[in-house]
Each structure stands twice: as C-alpha cells, then as structure tokens.
Amino acid sequence: SDAICNLVICNDSSLRSQPIIFNPDFFVEKLRHEKPEVFTELVVSNITRLIDLPGAELAQLMGEEDPKLPGANSTASGFFRSLMSLKRKEKGVVFGSPLTEEGIAQVSQLIEYLHKNLRAEGLFRVPGNSIRQQMLKDALNSGTDIDLDSGEFHSNDVATLLKMFLGELPEPLLTHKHFHAHLKIADLTLFDEKGNKTSTPDKERQIEALQLLFLILPAPNRSLLKLLLDLLYQTAKKQDKNKMSAHNLALMFAPHILWPRNVTANDLQENITKLNNGVTFMIKHSQKLFKAPAYIRECARLHYLGSRAHTSKDDLDLLTSPGSKELQPLKSQKRGRLDSCHQEETQQRTEAALRELFRHVHNMPDSAKKKKLIRQFNKHPSALTPGSEAATPPAPRRTRSRSFSGLIKRKVLGTPVIVERKSRDTTPEPKRASKENIHLLQKCGSPAHMSQAKLKSLEGRKE
C-alpha cells in the first residue's frame, strides 16, 4: 500500500516524500460545509429510521423548537443549581464562554499533558490544589503560554481544571438539542426470534445512531468531543494503574457533557442511569463513533460524482442522488453531438476523395477505360466535377428495351404488357421476338400451368 500511495506526480520535490492521507469522509465533509441543509436532512432521515422521535422531539433535534428539558419548569433552587449559575456569570476568554476554536486550542494543552500522565491513581476523581488550579485557569484565559512539563502543576490539577472547563460551558458538549435522542439510543435493544423486545442492548444500532448523531454536532463540539473521548478511552485502558474504569470515568463526565444545565440528579430521576450508561458506551467504543456510516459516505460521493457503485447497505437503494439523474441526459446529448460530428467529418473526407479521383479520371487520355469510369461516376450523385463543389446531376438513364425474357416474366406474373406509341416513346423500338421464340411461348401454354423450373430453362436457352 505504501508503494501505491507514493505513485503521485508532484512538481515540488519537498512534498514527494510526504505520505498521502486518504480521508474516506472527504465527500461527507464537503457536503456538510457546502450544502448543510441537504446534509442535515440526509443524516436526520437515517436517525429517525433507527430511533423513534415524535414530532416535538424531532423538531427540537432539527433546531426548529427550543428543547424541553427536565427541571426547566421546576421552582426548586438547590445549592448546586445556584452555584453553577453563579460560575457561568463570570465569563472569561476560555472558561464560561461558548465553545470556540481558540478555546479548544487552549484546552488541548491540558489534554496533551494528561495523555502523558495516565498512570496517576484516581485521575479525574482526586481533586487537585485549588490555588494552582486558579493560576492555571488565569493563564489559559489570558492566552499565555504554559509549560505544564515544568513540574509546577500536578496531573490532578490539570484533570480537575479540564472538568471545570466542560462544566462551565453554556450548554453541555453534546448540546441540549440532542438530549432526547441520546435517551432513545440507550433504549435500543435486540429482538428475539418472535419479534419481542429483549433487555439486551443492540450495540450495532447504538453505534450507528451515535455516528449519525455526532455528524450533526456543531464543528467545535465534535472536535473537542473526539479529543475528550479518546483521552478517556486511553485512561480506561490503563485502569490497572489509575484505578479508573470506563464506568467510573462516565460518572465523572456525564454531568458535564450530557446532562442539561442547571439540573440536579433529582430532576433526572430514572434517566440518570441511562445517561451514565450512555457515556460509558461512548468511552468504550470511541474509536468507531467518529466515522460516517458507509451508506452516508456513498450517498455523499454520489451527490458529487453521480456514478452508482455496489454497496452492501440496502438503505442506499432508497437514497437517490440529485446529480445522477441530471447527468444521464447530459451524457447522451454529448455522445450524440460527438457521433454527429464524426459522421460529418467522415462525409467530408469521402467527398474530398471522390473529387480528387474524378479530377484524376478527367485528366486521363480518352479511352474505353476512361468512358467506363465516367459512367461509374455518373451513377453516384455525390461525385463532383473538378471545377465545382456541387454534385454532378445523374445522367439520364436509358430506357431498357423490352427483351424476350422480360416478356416471359410479365406473362408469368400476370403483368400486362404496356405498348407505348411511337409519338410518346423516344427510346428505340424493342426487338421483335423471332418465330422460334413465339412458337416456344405458345407451346408453354397459359402462365398458370408454367412452373418456375420451366421459366428458368427458357431463360437459359434465350441467353
């Protein structure tokens, strides 16, 4: 595969040694940026195929209505809710502000540092030093460069600050619009042979639904979510050192990335188990969730290329490409124009060759051969004279004389013999049949009693 990837024509010598990165989601990203409405409709139509979303929840997912979240109409004001609202009033450049690329760039420093220190026991559970965390928070908000490897900060300080950043976002990382969809994904279970629903989770459908749901996340949210879930996946792989399993990490991060803002555990009630299990599932399968399903890739590719390829997904047959139907008449029109141009060119070459041949024959000395060739030319209306570009009119055909064989054919077939008067006929008179031929004709009898074999024998004798 490396040898094939290196077969690239490139004029820049410094780039020839660079590896080629093939992005299978290229057309998916292209469709997302160039035609977001078409992309969203394509993805949401497949989400509704997997999970049942009533009209109100579907409108919330599409952003047509404000999401109705648990605890939104509650008059209770707990300490947790008031504390979180007070924290969000103090907005900084990074902390407490809506998610931006600049904020992701600052927070990515924390994620890179934690990747190097995954063996710390109780990572994300043990709180760090509050003074060091405040210093680090001010440095990130001011945009100054931070040397986390200097030893001034502990891994628990950085891990706690990362959770603080996620908790102070105006809305969870997975957004309020997607809240009800994630609850429905947690309910996707397998069916038995009789079609009854079981309690066993349908992991394949859950992965597919999350892949689709992540595709319509805002770009900054999707970028940070990918970085975060990859960090938590690597942390869970070293749980023998840090004592943090995927479920333990989900308990730490579910309130920050999935729970609606300003709600408590009492507001969620029975849904809290679904949400925690959903985050656990995301951590365990994080390496599969950020790839577009094969049929979405194929449909996006067909949208731009307009050529159908074989695929194993049955749903692809239900998705029609807007550009593929328009491409077929264009191809047929182009092919028709090429064929007509080819025919005109061939006809022009033929006429030029005939003119050249006629000039050659015309310049030949008078002979029987020349007369014969000229007669052949006169049979073709397309033959042109040497001095003109118009076709030579065909020579008047001579009226054939009425032969004895023609007379016999007309007698056999029952065609009446037309006798033309001398005043109207300009051709020579037909040859009169000899007495011998008339005697043979009378001997044969009527045309009804003459066979085809006798007719042939008579013609042969005449010849």
Side-chain angles (χ1 to χ4, degrees), residues 97-319:
S97 299
L99 196 58
T100 60
E101 296 296 336
E102 181 183 358
I104 295 175
Q106 290 291 83
V107 174
S108 63
Q109 300 179 70
L110 307 180
I111 296 176
E112 290 177 6
Y113 173 79
L114 291 174
H115 270 289
K116 305 174 186 176
N117 298 272
L118 296 177
R119 296 177 179 273
E121 186 173 346
L123 191 64
F124 298 110
R125 186 180 70 240
V126 178
N129 184 275
S130 58
I131 298 176
R132 292 196 299 265
Q133 290 173 13
Q134 187 62 42
M135 292 173 55
L136 186 57
K137 181 179 179 180
D138 295 339
L140 290 174
N141 272 328
S142 61
T144 57
D145 295 334
I146 306 170
D147 186 10
L148 295 174
D149 296 326
S150 61
E152 183 179 358
F153 302 99
H154 193 269
S155 57
N156 290 332
D157 302 332
V158 178
T160 304
L161 193 64
L162 178 60
K163 290 193 300 179
M164 187 185 302
F165 168 78
L166 295 172
E168 292 184 10
L169 289 173
E171 66 173 350
L173 194 59
L174 293 174
T175 71
H176 287 142
K177 297 189 300 183
H178 293 194
F179 176 74
H180 292 289
H182 282 285
L183 290 178
K184 295 295 178 67
I185 291 175
D187 291 333
L188 290 176
T189 56
L190 295 173
F191 293 87
D192 58 14
E193 297 178 354
K194 298 181 180 180
N196 298 322
K197 195 173 183 180
T198 64
S199 59
T200 306
D202 191 347
K203 295 182 179 180
E204 296 299 326
R205 291 178 65 198
Q206 288 177 342
I207 290 175
E208 183 181 351
L210 288 173
Q211 286 176 338
L212 295 170
L213 206 58
F214 287 176
L215 284 175
I216 57 175
L217 275 176
N221 294 58
R222 191 169 187 265
S223 300
L224 183 57
L225 180 65
K226 188 176 187 306
L227 294 174
L228 178 65
L229 290 182
D230 187 59
L231 173 65
L232 300 181
Y233 173 79
Q234 298 297 334
T235 304
K237 285 180 66 176
K238 293 182 172 54
Q239 60 178 321
D240 58 331
K241 301 294 182 181
N242 53 40
K243 310 301 180 185
M244 295 298 293
S245 63
H247 182 68
N248 293 336
L249 293 170
L251 296 177
M252 297 290 104
F253 281 91
H256 303 303
I257 67 175
L258 190 53
W259 289 17
R261 291 291 180 250
N262 301 332
V263 299
T264 62
N266 293 330
D267 297 328
L268 296 176
Q269 296 178 357
E270 71 275 5
N271 290 331
I272 191 170
T273 302
K274 290 182 182 179
L275 298 176
N276 293 336
N277 291 339
V279 176
T280 303
F281 186 84
M282 293 179 200
I283 295 173
K284 290 182 177 180
H285 301 87
S286 61
Q287 307 305 307
K288 303 177 182 178
L289 301 181
F290 295 92
K291 301 174 183 178
Y295 53 90
I296 296 293
R297 294 180 187 174
E298 184 68 7
C299 191
R301 187 184 70 84
L302 292 174
H303 182 82
Y304 287 100
L305 300 184
S307 59
R308 181 170 293 275
H310 295 289
T311 179
S312 60
K313 193 68 176 177
D314 297 335
D315 300 310
L316 183 60
D317 297 334
L318 302 177
L319 302 173

Side-chain angles (χ1 to χ4, degrees), residues 17 25 35 49 81 114 118 127 183 211 259 268-269 282 312 325 338 352 357 370 375 382 411 418 422 425:
S17 60
D25 291 345
K35 299 181 180 179
R49 176 176 55 83
R81 184 180 294 119
L114 291 174
L118 296 177
L183 290 178
Q211 286 176 338
W259 289 17
L268 296 176
Q269 296 178 357
M282 293 179 200
S312 60
K325 294 182 179 179
L338 291 175
L357 182 59
K370 177 179 178 179
R375 283 196 300 270
S382 60
K411 286 290 185 180
I418 300 175
K422 292 184 179 181
D425 189 11

Side-chain angles (χ1 to χ4, degrees), residues 319-360:
L319 302 173
T320 57
S321 174
S324 60
K325 294 182 179 179
E326 301 173 358
L327 191 65
Q328 296 301 326
L330 293 177
K331 286 183 177 179
S332 60
Q333 292 175 7
K334 184 177 180 181
R335 190 181 299 110
R337 288 195 297 267
L338 291 175
D339 293 341
S340 61
C341 293
H342 180 69
Q343 291 176 0
E344 292 177 1
E345 184 180 359
T346 305
Q347 186 176 0
Q348 292 175 1
R349 292 180 179 178
T350 304
E351 292 176 356
L354 285 173
R355 287 195 297 270
E356 183 67 25
L357 182 59
F358 191 89
R359 292 190 188 100
H360 178 71

Side-chain angles (χ1 to χ4, degrees), residues 404-417:
F404 179 68
S405 60
L407 182 63
I408 294 175
K409 288 181 182 179
R410 280 188 288 273
K411 286 290 185 180
V412 173
L413 297 176
T415 306
V417 179

